């Protein structure tokens, strides 16, 4: 399991590797806009299905029982 910050780091690394010249190609390969990718990398938006799919991840929601003392 990974968290949002980990995914954000992957997006930031992908942007860095693509460089300014390769951002359009990255967006085309992922099938989303470069602005969306940048927004996720900067923390303005959460990564959605399209970015997660491009990175080989999926969102999973978990629930855990809390100790009554925590309530």
């Amino acid at each position: 399991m990974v968290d949002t910050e980990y995914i954000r780091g992957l997006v930031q690394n992908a942007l860095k590797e693509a460089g300014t010249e390769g951002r359009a190609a990255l967006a085309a390969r992922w099938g989303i806009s470069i602005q969306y990718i940048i927004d996720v990398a900067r923390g303005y938006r959460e990564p959605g299905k399209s970015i997660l799919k491009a990175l080989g991840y999926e969102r999973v929601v978990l629930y855990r029982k809390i100790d009554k003392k925590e309530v």
Side-chain angles (χ1 to χ4, degrees), residues 9-71:
L10 293 178
V11 173
Q12 291 167 347
N13 287 342
L15 282 172
K16 187 183 292 185
E17 287 178 14
T20 305
E21 306 297 320
R23 288 180 172 187
L26 175 67
R29 189 169 60 248
W30 287 6
I32 52 181
S33 73
I34 188 59
Q35 189 58 55
Y36 176 49
I37 296 171
I38 291 169
D39 285 351
V40 170
R42 291 181 177 166
Y44 300 151
R45 296 176 68 181
E46 293 294 313
K49 280 185 176 183
S50 53
I51 284 187
L52 293 173
K53 182 178 177 183
L55 295 170
Y57 286 86
E58 66 180 348
R59 182 172 180 254
V60 178
V61 178
L62 299 174
Y63 298 92
R64 69 179 180 98
K65 186 160 178 67
I66 59 173
D67 186 354
K68 289 188 179 186
K69 291 181 237 176
E70 294 180 27
V71 177

